Amino acid sequence: MFSSTRRSLASLAAVLLSAVSIGCTDLTVEPRSTVTDANVFNDPSSYRSFIARVYTGLAVSGQQGAAGRPDIEGIDEGFSQYLRLYWEAQELPTDEAVIGWGDVGLPEMNTQTWAVTNNFVVAMYYRVFFQIGMANEFLRQTTDAKLDARGNVSVALKAEIAQYRAEARFLRALSYWHGIDLFGDIPLLTEDDPLGSTPPVQSTRTEIYNFIVSELQDIAASLPAAGAANYGRATGPAAKMLLAKLYLNAGVYTGTPNYSGALTAAQDVIASAYSLDNNFMRMFKADNNTSPEIIFAIPQDGLKTQTWGGVTFLVHASCGADMSATAYGIDGCWWGLRLKPQAYNNYSAGDNRRSYFYTTGQNVQVGAIGNFNDGIAAPKFQNVTSAGAPGSHPTHVDTDFPVFRLADAYLMYAEAHLRGGGGTAAQALTYVNALRQRAYGGVSGNITTAQMTLDFVLAERGRELLWEGHRRTDLVRYGRFTGSSYIWSWKGGTQAGSATDAKYNLYPLPANELVANPNLKQNPGY
């Protein structure tokens, strides 16, 4: 189905776009086909194209490349791209990032001061259900009964479709995880729910957590094998990685921790086919599809997966002031993203993970959010290869986004062990020091067992996984995202930072949804 290059998924992105037209302003209406399934599936390759479209829902913003026929309405199409919205929701309200633009709703994301009508929060909610809706529709159209009735599906293709169904269930599980992590109690809709019926009921976070866990356990053995040939696809280790994420945060989602489950799942990932990349920066460059460490990625392609979101956003928005756009493989800087001072100060001298920071002319302190020179620039994602060659397109980048990579499994093992999940201190220390040795180019950064505390692991996660979309979830799990236990610059809307209300541990459900669906109850405090 897919070659080993990042372009394998991208080349199929537009094939079936006209087959699914999704209205995301009202969740009482799920995705509907604009053509009948009898027509669209006359060509057996449509099944491959359809699952490719579910994948690319994470990567593109509309049905005509970077502009035209947006998937969701009510917000600029580039702003509405799934990965871009998710990254902003996970990074901007934390101690890691600030964006200098004044678009309506965006400044509040920097400061934990958003309202129920925030455009970026609303769009993220609809993106989650857009993805879930596409996955559900694929599963509706590929039941054994549907395939047999069409009469044009060979035994071999039917076996392929069975694997595609497992992949669709993984992608649905991924979006449901994002949904409960960001919004808490949300509707649970599957392929068994009829289209256009009564408004869906609101399920609890625990109910959806249990659904995701059950799905992942059921499909893990049916997913494609790990390896270069299946790069960009959901594999068994990707399912285990998502399980580890769920288990590590089970105390937040359900009130009942499962650190032993997190440790076991992380260990399963570590024992799989992946290995640490000896070139840290390769994982964030235009040839990162060659990295042995990336477990699941959102592939990008400058020629075939064009979007104003995704990594195109991350590369361009991280560049400004007197930085050279061409040095990062792009045709212009957007003067947007910088580090909050706490993130910059989290690194010690000798830690090569900060080698890409751009400090010339930049102030460590963010005195004015709108001034690009306030805050250290951090162009972690770059549209050049590890050999220095530019990507295939100067505007839209080739750099894939690493959703899951092995280093995270190492750190999850260490944290789960420290929280009583089993394993051994010696093994946890070995994993942590393996990352430190890569960062320092030797053993000078190694720590001892006594130094390996939960506080240290949180700080190390910040250093290792900076700007990779994990920070908000980590801070919530540690009880430090809201409140006064940890204050950082611009938390609460002041430069010095201030305590914030616990309600911000969850984003609000969109106000329009509460009107459209009387079954929904708003999150506390909003």
Side-chain angles (χ1 to χ4, degrees):
M1 173 181 175
F2 303 116
S3 73
S4 61
T5 69
R6 76 176 59 80
R7 295 169 179 79
S8 55
L9 284 174
S11 63
L12 296 170
V15 178
L16 202 68
L17 297 185
S18 61
V20 180
S21 177
I22 300 181
C24 288
T25 57
D26 184 352
L27 290 183
T28 65
V29 180
E30 281 204 57
R32 296 173 180 271
S33 295
T34 58
V35 294
T36 68
D37 59 301
N39 292 328
V40 73
F41 293 113
N42 281 341
D43 180 357
S45 69
S46 294
Y47 299 101
R48 179 180 63 183
S49 302
F50 199 159
I51 190 61
R53 180 60 180 101
V54 184
Y55 273 105
T56 55
L58 300 173
V60 299
S61 56
Q63 301 187 34
Q64 290 181 347
R69 299 186 68 192
D71 293 328
I72 63 176
E73 299 176 351
I75 187 172
D76 175 86
E77 183 178 343
F79 283 162
S80 75
Q81 193 272 326
Y82 194 115
L83 173 56
R84 179 170 175 168
L85 288 167
Y86 183 72
W87 189 94
E88 289 168 339
Q90 285 284 30
E91 295 291 353
L92 294 182
T94 75
D95 59 347
E96 289 197 345
V98 64
I99 195 165
W101 305 334
D103 303 271
V104 174
L106 198 54
E108 293 79 12
M109 298 298 289
N110 289 317
T111 58
Q112 290 189 24
T113 57
W114 52 79
V116 295
T117 54
N118 185 282
N119 287 345
F120 295 88
V121 174
V122 170
M124 184 69 242
Y125 184 84
Y126 289 134
R127 271 293 171 195
V128 166
F129 280 96
F130 181 92
Q131 277 297 103
I132 290 167
M134 284 200 297
N136 282 342
E137 184 66 8
F138 180 84
L139 293 168
R140 287 190 192 98
Q141 296 296 338
T142 54
T143 63
D144 286 343
K146 285 271 191 179
L147 299 179
D148 291 342
R150 293 185 188 120
N152 63 348
V153 179
S154 67
V155 173
L157 178 56
K158 199 169 185 179
E160 283 186 45
I161 292 171
Q163 189 172 71
Y164 300 164
R165 285 177 61 84
E167 294 174 72
R169 290 167 69 185
F170 170 87
L171 293 169
R172 180 175 64 181
L174 180 69
S175 286
Y176 266 127
W177 171 50
H178 293 160
I180 63 169
D181 187 76
L182 296 171
F183 298 102
D185 297 347
I186 56 176
L188 175 57
L189 300 167
T190 74
E191 70 274 22
D192 295 327
D193 292 300
L195 292 169
S197 61
T198 58
V201 299
Q202 186 172 18
S203 297
T204 67
R205 220 177 189 185
T206 298
E207 288 170 338
I208 298 178
Y209 169 91
N210 290 335
F211 171 78
I212 301 170
V213 168
S214 176
E215 285 284 280
L216 293 171
Q217 290 174 337
D218 192 49
I219 65 175
S222 301
L223 291 167
N230 289 319
Y231 177 82
R233 296 177 71 181
T235 62
K240 293 287 188 179
M241 193 73 174
L242 183 48
L243 274 172
K245 288 287 189 183
L246 286 157
Y247 292 148
L248 190 66
N249 293 284
V252 175
Y253 303 151
T254 72
T256 304
N258 187 2
Y259 299 121
S260 62
L263 187 140
T264 298
Q267 187 62 71
D268 287 344
V269 173
I270 293 167
S272 66
Y274 300 94
S275 60
L276 290 186
D277 196 326
N278 58 14
N279 182 345
F280 179 78
M281 281 306 298
R282 172 166 52 184
M283 292 183 286
F284 314 103
K285 294 194 173 183
D287 58 347
N288 61 350
N289 60 301
T290 64
S291 173
E293 185 169 334
I294 297 176
I295 296 165
F296 181 66
I298 299 174
Q300 309 277 269
D301 186 285
L303 299 177
K304 299 176 182 177
T305 313
Q306 295 189 348
T307 174
W308 297 109
V311 186
T312 290
F313 156 70
L314 292 175
V315 175
H316 285 271
S318 301
C319 181
D322 63 351
M323 299 168 67
S324 168
T326 57
Y328 303 106
I330 51 176
D331 54 7
C333 299
W334 293 357
W335 297 60
L337 298 170
R338 294 97 67 207
L339 294 173
K340 289 189 173 106
Q342 287 74 21
Y344 175 73
N345 292 328
N346 192 28
Y347 293 83
S348 301
D351 190 334
N352 294 317
R353 288 174 295 193
R354 66 174 191 167
S355 62
Y356 58 88
F357 290 176
Y358 189 89
T359 59
T360 303
Q362 300 297 119
N363 304 312
V364 174
Q365 299 301 318
V366 181
I369 291 178
N371 180 2
F372 188 86
N373 292 108
D374 282 358
I376 299 299
K380 185 173 189 175
F381 296 91
Q382 303 175 11
N383 191 34
V384 293
T385 69
S386 50
S392 63
H393 195 286
T395 301
H396 303 288
V397 308
D398 288 341
T399 311
D400 304 336
F401 186 82
V403 177
F404 297 141
R405 60 184 180 90
L406 187 61
D408 193 1
Y410 279 19
L411 291 169
M412 285 195 288
Y413 180 102
E415 182 180 339
H417 165 73
L418 291 170
R419 292 187 185 275
T424 68
Q427 185 64 77
L429 186 66
T430 296
Y431 290 149
V432 169
N433 279 336
L435 303 181
R436 305 276 295 174
Q437 288 162 18
R438 176 172 65 182
Y440 285 80
V443 299
S444 63
N446 279 17
I447 63 167
T448 65
T449 301
Q451 292 172 306
M452 188 178 62
T453 63
L454 283 172
D455 283 350
F456 178 88
V457 171
L458 178 62
E460 189 69 6
R461 288 186 64 81
R463 290 184 284 266
E464 178 68 28
L465 303 171
L466 180 76
W467 284 17
E468 294 181 49
H470 303 281
R471 192 60 172 174
R472 174 195 155 276
T473 300
D474 289 345
L475 290 173
V476 169
R477 183 175 66 255
Y478 272 75
R480 298 182 187 176
F481 184 62
T482 59
S484 59
S485 63
Y486 178 28
I487 302 295
W488 57 82
S489 184
W490 292 107
K491 180 179 180 179
T494 65
Q495 182 183 359
S498 60
T500 53
D501 195 300
K503 73 178 185 180
Y504 293 112
N505 283 323
L506 286 174
Y507 287 100
L509 304 185
N512 288 345
E513 282 307 305
L514 298 176
V515 174
N517 184 355
N519 294 324
L520 298 181
K521 181 180 179 181
Q522 184 58 277
N523 286 324
Y526 289 104

